[in-house]
Amino acid sequence: MNQAASTGDKLILAAIDLIAEQGYDGTTTKEIAAAAGVSEVTLFRHFGSKQSLLVAAFERYHYAGEMTKLFNERLTWDVRTDLLLIGRTYHAIMNRNRKLLAIAQKGGSRLPEEVHKHASQHPVQLKKLLTNYFSTLHEQGKIAPIDPEITAMSFMWMNLGAFSSNLLESSNSDVTLDTFIEQSVDLFARALAP
Amino acid sequence: MNQAASTGDKLILAAIDLIAEQGYDGTTTKEIAAAAGVSEVTLFRHFGSKQSLLVAAFERYHYAGEMTKLFNERLTWDVRTDLLLIGRTYHAIMNRNRKLLAIAQKGGSRLPEEVHKHASQHPVQLKKLLTNYFSTLHEQGKIAPIDPEITAMSFMWMNLGAFSSNLLESSNSDVTLDTFIEQSVDLFARALAP
DNA sequence: TGCTTTTGTAAGTACTTACTTACATTTTAT
DNA sequence: ATAAAATGTAAGTAAGTACTTACAAAAGCA
């Protein structure tokens, strides 16, 4: 079943782990090769350069299609239910891409541009989807007439802040992430009640 | 009036600018010295090492006392008024410390620990202050019985997300920061209404 | 003016790092 | 078994970088 990872994959995974922790400039090709359990020459034989290795990592492991699919297929038009699903999905996606996002955030002097392009797609798209969602809810008379764009930004940024914060210090408090999502959705549902 | 900046200050300011943009590892002492308009040796004569220079930068320009002072002296116990003031002050502080925060966020292989200590003080403190505030409001019967800690985290993280997002791409949309603060405070005030 | 402090220039050291080359060894496929 | 492909070892190159040393120029102060 679980066939051994290929040399290329081992290198990509090691690169993601190390660069996410130490930054692009702070991680050497020798370290990456050692962590992957291969020699440094093998790294260059496979990817040619440190930059191409990182680009390959992003192309292989960065995906963002779930949100659009969710908005097209799984909405119930009940505020509480939908926001809960959106919030949970948001954190699931972000968490899965956590390391790649950390890499983009930290930057680096010779860090390839592809990295930033990949990382900046999410928020723009989500804001549009959420704004449309709140607009429609208002047209349906299900929520009070509050600016849909502001509402979308508030919800999005609240979850981005929660995510960034948990990223840094996981043992921040005794409130678990899921409790926070549930309760904050409640808060929004109250605010939007017609 | 505006007496010329000392050599040490010129170096500190140049270091903050460059390292915030390029990261610690990605910025050379030669660059910093050139940006400050002095020679590289002068940098080492003043600070001894690249690390000490950064530590000096944090000690000189990182301050966080305003929030505590605000909570002790300027609260009116009207939700809308207070949250507006808190939100605005939060962004003012974060914005002033924007570059230092970016430095801490990006990290670096030899980046001194002091940097992280300085940067992690804000949020913990603010959460406590806000949680106490909402607890007291509830005791005064001015808001509905919603978990004060969750409310505090929601408000804090919403503003953190807004700040981080504006940090990355300033021309994000046509909603200005101040409009966002006002409207999001409205949203919270609605949610908390008894 | 003379003395001290600060700064610049020039050169260099010691170390790291991305990347290369040449050759021997192992693994895989047929 | 044998050829081909993938990997390891060893050594090295070229460039960058934090930091040092020695000496001369300049600026401030007595």
Side-chain angles (χ1 to χ4, degrees), chain A residues 7 37-42 45-46 110:
Chain A
T7 304
V38 302
S39 74
E40 198 186 2
V41 255
T42 299
R45 273 195 279 246
H46 272 258
R110 302 260 183 273

Side-chain angles (χ1 to χ4, degrees), chain B residues 7 37-42 45-46:
Chain B
T7 303
V38 302
S39 74
E40 198 186 2
V41 257
T42 299
R45 273 196 277 246
H46 271 258

Side-chain angles (χ1 to χ4, degrees), chain A residues 64-84:
Chain A
E66 285 121 308
M67 268 300 175
T68 312
K69 201 177 165 197
L70 185 159
F71 274 84
N72 286 332
E73 300 176 5
R74 302 181 58 194
L75 293 186
T76 67
W77 302 102
D78 169 72
V79 190
R80 220 172 284 258
T81 312
D82 289 344
L83 285 187
L84 205 55

Side-chain angles (χ1 to χ4, degrees), chain A residues 169, chain B residues 62 101 104 114-125:
Chain A
E169 36 204 323
Chain B
H62 192 271
L101 291 169
E114 279 95 328
V115 165
H116 291 295
K117 287 186 186 164
H118 274 282
S120 63
Q121 283 170 354
H122 261 303
V124 179
Q125 195 189 0

Side-chain angles (χ1 to χ4, degrees), chain B residues 5-15 32 35-38:
Chain B
S6 75
T7 303
D9 284 352
K10 282 192 288 186
L11 281 165
I12 286 181
L13 293 173
I32 297 171
V38 302

